[in-house]
Amino acid sequence: MPGLLRGVARTAVVAGTATAVSNRVSRRQAGRWAQQDYERQQQYEQQYPPPQYAQPQQAAPPAPAAQPAAAAHDMTAKIEQLKQLADLKAQGVLTEEEFESQKRLLLG
């Protein structure tokens, strides 16, 4: 039995040492590769600088016709919210009073 224990212990030490060495080599290689990537990126940026774009021009104010479209979108959103409130009321999540108060707040 002592011979078996000694063999198992030796195997554990060898495996642990191999793992430590492997991890150290992996970290060192990763560091080298990261350094190489960084250097390549710096060389690329020196050869091909990023383009300089002109400042965007200020757009003209929207025409007054955009207001009805915004109002229509607002009404559509209110209708969707009312449908959601009605669904919650139908599921029993909201009481009739809660539904009415939320509806008043929504329709203003």
Side-chain angles (χ1 to χ4, degrees), residues 22-41:
S22 174
N23 288 341
R24 193 176 86 197
V25 169
S26 295
R27 282 193 303 273
R28 194 173 350 151
Q29 285 177 341
R32 286 180 185 164
W33 293 335
Q35 181 66 28
Q36 288 174 355
D37 287 345
Y38 176 76
E39 290 170 359
R40 286 185 188 134
Q41 182 68 27

Side-chain angles (χ1 to χ4, degrees), residues 2 17 27 36 44 48 55 76 82 85 88:
T17 304
R27 282 193 303 273
Q36 288 174 355
Y44 179 82
Y48 306 103
Q55 293 293 329
T76 303
L82 279 172
L85 286 173
L88 290 173

